């Protein structure tokens, strides 16, 4: 659990330790989870079954701003 006022706590996440299928959904205009951070997370994962989806015209609340695209990405990943 991370305190949003202490973003450095996310540094404790070791992406190489993620073992299950993983979907990263990123709003292109997200001011919090910047693209560079998502790229580092994604490229450090060693799990083969992973996907990174970038939602255009979305920010940190992509699931609220574009729920259809968000759900479509999740369903596509699950159907994989």
């Amino acid at each position: 659990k991370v305190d949003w006022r202490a973003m450095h706590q996310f540094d404790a996440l070791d992406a190489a330790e993620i073992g299950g299928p993983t979907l990263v959904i990123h709003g292109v205009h997200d001011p919090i989870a910047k693209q560079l951070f998502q790229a580092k997370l994604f490229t450090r994962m060693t799990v083969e079954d992973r996907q990174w989806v970038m939602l255009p015209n979305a920010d940190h609340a992509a699931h609220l701003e574009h729920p259809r695209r968000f759900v479509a990405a999740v369903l596509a990943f699950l159907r994989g």
Side-chain angles (χ1 to χ4, degrees), residues 23-43:
L23 172 62
V24 176
I25 299 179
H26 178 239
V28 171
H29 302 292
D30 189 331
I32 298 169
K34 299 196 182 293
Q35 186 174 345
L36 177 61
F37 301 151
Q38 301 305 319
K40 285 181 183 179
L41 171 72
F42 190 79
T43 58

Side-chain angles (χ1 to χ4, degrees), residues 13 15 17-25 38 41-42 45-53 73 77-78:
L13 173 65
E17 294 296 319
I18 297 172
T22 305
L23 172 62
V24 176
I25 299 179
Q38 301 305 319
L41 171 72
F42 190 79
M45 288 180 197
T46 57
V47 63
E48 290 185 22
D49 189 1
R50 69 183 191 266
Q51 186 177 351
W52 180 13
V53 174
F77 180 75
L78 293 174

